[in-house]
Amino acid sequence: MNTLVKSGGAWLVSPSLAVVALRKMRVSGLATSSSSSSFPNWEGGVSMVQGASRGIGLEFVRQLLENNKKGYVVATCRNPKEATSLSDLKNRFSERLFIQKLDVTDETTIEESAESVRERYGSLNLLINAAGILSIPGVLQPETTLNKVEKSSLMLAYEVNAVGPILTMKHMWPLLKAGGGSGTDREVAVVANLSARVGSIGDNRLGGWHSYRASKTALNQLTKNVSVELGRRKDPVVCILLHPGTVDTDLSRPFQKNVPEGKLFTREYSVQKLLHIISNAKKQDNGKFFAWDGQEIPW
């Protein structure tokens, strides 16, 4: 049977008990207050991983569940019914993993996802935007010369790699503000957007890959903009950008032959490093761009 326990002045509850209470608290699509004190304090926190069906996103979900024995995870992807690896995790963590549809190219699904999280948990403590595209056979390929640049490729990369994350931040923002660092060891909620070193203008010495580079640069600027706004509002949320390194995933597989020895990381290693950065994020890290090893990357 689920229980309700008071610890350190905060009520720690399970999802099945809180759903009804949270629904009663809703007004005009939002809960009764933006203050985290209006919501149950979820022991271990509530994390959302956007783009969770495979690759780095899936590994984030796995490590968040396995490393935090009490935290809850919302895993989103375009086609939950086809996400067999997520289903396997659901079988292992049935009470702590919530899977739902979210397509970054369809803002309606982002809004619906935010509403579902609001009804179920009332708040978020972590948002990881992991979805991204580099190549799609017959549709999108990294451009090696200016002559290969196409409008459709630029727009698709921008839509998935930059527009999708900023819209997800927009709709999850009230939930992150409500959650702050409650239930976690942090003092703030964290938005971690997966970027790439190739999105750095100051670090660009090779050129090429116009669509992918530009879309990640746009993501960096959008994230920086939000971080500035947060600083003015004094919301209990920080935004950071993360470069995971070159990781052995479907995204990088067609381009791995040129990766130096020892620089192709496993998903497990990269995510472990990134979660260390997230777990230790402080207010002063708001708006910073970190590599997997914790080093700051120039804009």
Side-chain angles (χ1 to χ4, degrees):
M1 177 181 295
N2 293 320
T3 57
L4 183 65
V5 183
K6 197 171 186 181
S7 174
W11 288 103
L12 308 177
V13 300
S14 65
S16 56
L17 286 174
V19 169
V20 174
L22 286 171
R23 283 175 176 166
K24 291 180 180 179
M25 291 163 60
R26 292 170 54 213
V27 291
S28 301
L30 290 173
T32 53
S33 170
S34 61
S35 169
S36 60
S37 61
S38 300
F39 302 99
N41 182 5
W42 299 98
E43 188 175 11
V46 182
S47 304
M48 171 180 278
V49 180
Q50 179 270 111
S53 62
R54 59 181 182 169
I56 293 177
L58 177 64
E59 184 61 22
F60 268 117
V61 174
R62 186 185 70 79
Q63 290 196 28
L64 284 168
L65 289 167
E66 291 183 351
N67 297 343
N68 185 348
K69 303 304 181 183
K70 296 180 180 179
Y72 301 88
V73 178
V74 180
T76 75
C77 59
R78 287 182 301 161
N79 300 303
K81 292 181 179 179
E82 298 178 8
T84 55
S85 295
L86 277 181
S87 297
D88 292 341
L89 286 173
K90 179 66 174 177
N91 292 334
R92 293 176 55 199
F93 302 97
S94 58
E95 292 295 320
R96 297 169 49 216
L97 177 59
F98 179 43
I99 302 171
Q100 62 179 174
K101 179 181 176 63
L102 189 158
D103 182 345
V104 293
T105 67
D106 182 351
E107 189 172 2
T108 299
T109 68
I110 302 175
E111 292 178 290
E112 291 172 347
S113 177
E115 180 63 19
S116 294
V117 174
R118 186 177 297 116
E119 290 184 348
R120 191 176 185 88
Y121 299 108
S123 62
L124 282 173
N125 307 104
L126 171 62
L127 168 62
I128 299 174
N129 279 307
I133 57 169
L134 172 57
S135 65
I136 302 174
V139 177
L140 173 65
Q141 289 295 323
E143 309 91 344
T144 55
T145 70
L146 181 61
N147 290 337
K148 293 184 178 181
V149 173
E150 296 182 0
K151 178 180 178 180
S152 60
S153 297
L154 289 164
M155 298 303 291
L156 178 59
Y158 190 85
E159 183 177 32
V160 174
N161 295 341
V163 177
I166 194 68
L167 291 179
T168 303
M169 292 169 67
K170 166 188 168 184
H171 290 289
M172 303 303 163
W173 198 257
L175 299 168
L176 290 158
K177 183 178 178 181
S182 64
T184 75
D185 294 331
R186 300 186 307 268
E187 59 182 356
V188 290
V190 175
V191 176
N193 290 334
L194 261 63
S195 186
R197 187 180 292 275
V198 296
S200 166
I201 295 175
D203 194 63
N204 184 359
R205 296 175 180 84
L206 297 176
W209 290 27
H210 299 279
S211 298
Y212 186 71
R213 281 186 187 272
S215 67
K216 289 299 186 179
T217 304
L219 174 64
N220 293 352
Q221 182 68 286
L222 290 167
T223 305
K224 181 67 175 180
N225 272 353
V226 174
S227 74
V228 172
E229 182 176 344
L230 288 183
R232 287 199 297 263
R233 291 182 175 182
K234 301 188 184 303
D235 289 347
V237 188
V238 300
C239 296
I240 59 176
L241 291 145
L242 299 175
H243 166 55
T246 303
V247 184
D248 186 11
T249 64
D250 292 341
L251 183 144
S252 70
R253 196 154 292 128
F255 315 100
Q256 291 178 5
K257 65 180 181 180
N258 295 322
V259 178
E261 185 176 354
K263 293 298 184 180
L264 179 62
F265 301 147
T266 65
R267 288 170 289 177
E268 293 81 2
Y269 179 81
S270 177
V271 169
Q272 180 184 17
K273 292 292 187 179
L274 297 180
L275 282 176
H276 178 76
I277 296 172
I278 291 170
S279 297
N280 291 279
K282 305 291 192 298
K283 288 182 179 179
Q284 56 265 35
D285 295 322
N286 189 34
K288 293 183 178 181
F289 184 9
F290 296 105
W292 58 273
D293 58 0
Q295 297 297 310
E296 282 194 61
I297 298 175
W299 297 107

